[in-house]
Amino acid sequence: MARVGQIYRGFLYAMAGIAGAMLVWLMISVILSVVMRNSGMQPFAWLFTSSEYAILYMTMLGAPWLVREKGHVHIELVTAALPEAARRFVSRLVAVLCVVVSLILAWKGAELCLNNIARNDLDVRAYYFPKWILTLAFPISFGLMAIEFSRFVFGDDLMHSGEAGVHE
């Protein structure tokens, strides 16, 4: 079982690494596009399209890792004012709701992806691109987020620290 956990964690961190690389690509593509336009050249058609796709994938691939690392945005103002027992209850309740929402979005994302495959939908911009390649990120990422949020439901660690303010 420990080996499965290592593989899973490695997959999660690989997705986060790819998301980080896409962030670098966004920076490079924007700079390249601006330099080309200011030089009187027409930027490559794939440059803008790849940036749009990178924004989607960067968000979806990095989200499960952010949940694991508690890097997502949440407000501790209410939980900081609660007694320990109530804070634990509220934190686990919020985590349960996050699991439910993530599972619904994973299910709907899987339906969307399967419909894209069945209908052979294409994203028509600079190139014809199969839409399922884009929508495949939804069931994978939201499914992994459901797993990560469930760690806060069933594990010892809570999503909320009970400390209000910025902690860095």
Side-chain angles (χ1 to χ4, degrees):
M1 195 63 174
R3 182 73 180 136
V4 172
Q6 284 179 322
I7 292 169
Y8 171 76
R9 192 169 28 264
F11 182 66
L12 212 63
Y13 278 76
M15 287 174 49
I18 293 168
M22 288 182 174
L23 182 60
V24 172
W25 168 247
L26 280 170
M27 180 188 68
I28 292 169
S29 66
V30 167
I31 291 170
L32 185 59
S33 179
V34 168
V35 168
M36 289 179 77
R37 285 185 195 276
N38 287 338
S39 301
M41 300 166 53
Q42 177 66 33
F44 307 116
W46 55 266
L47 197 59
F48 185 72
T49 304
S50 69
S51 297
E52 288 179 332
Y53 294 163
I55 290 171
L56 170 69
Y57 271 104
M58 179 183 66
T59 303
M60 297 308 296
L61 295 178
W65 176 80
L66 281 173
V67 174
R68 173 175 276 264
E69 299 295 321
K70 298 182 188 178
H72 53 287
V73 175
H74 61 274
I75 298 171
E76 299 264 359
L77 190 61
V78 172
T79 57
L82 294 174
E84 177 67 20
R87 183 176 60 83
R88 294 183 75 74
F89 175 78
V90 168
S91 186
R92 292 200 194 281
L93 178 64
V94 168
V96 166
L97 293 173
C98 289
V99 169
V100 169
V101 169
S102 295
L103 287 174
I104 291 169
L105 292 173
W107 177 263
K108 291 310 221 177
E111 283 181 350
L112 177 63
C113 184
L114 291 172
N115 283 337
N116 290 152
I117 292 169
R119 293 189 310 228
N120 198 23
D121 289 339
L122 298 172
D123 184 33
V124 181
R125 295 174 196 230
Y127 302 98
Y128 293 95
F129 196 77
K131 268 192 181 175
W132 69 267
I133 294 174
L134 297 171
T135 58
L136 181 63
F138 296 135
I140 293 171
S141 294
F142 283 113
L144 293 174
M145 280 189 273
I147 292 170
E148 289 303 313
F149 280 121
S150 70
R151 291 175 59 242
F152 298 119
V153 175
F154 301 110
D156 294 332
D157 197 15
L158 295 177
M159 244 175 30
H160 303 91
S161 67
E163 300 173 5
V166 178
H167 306 283
E168 294 183 4

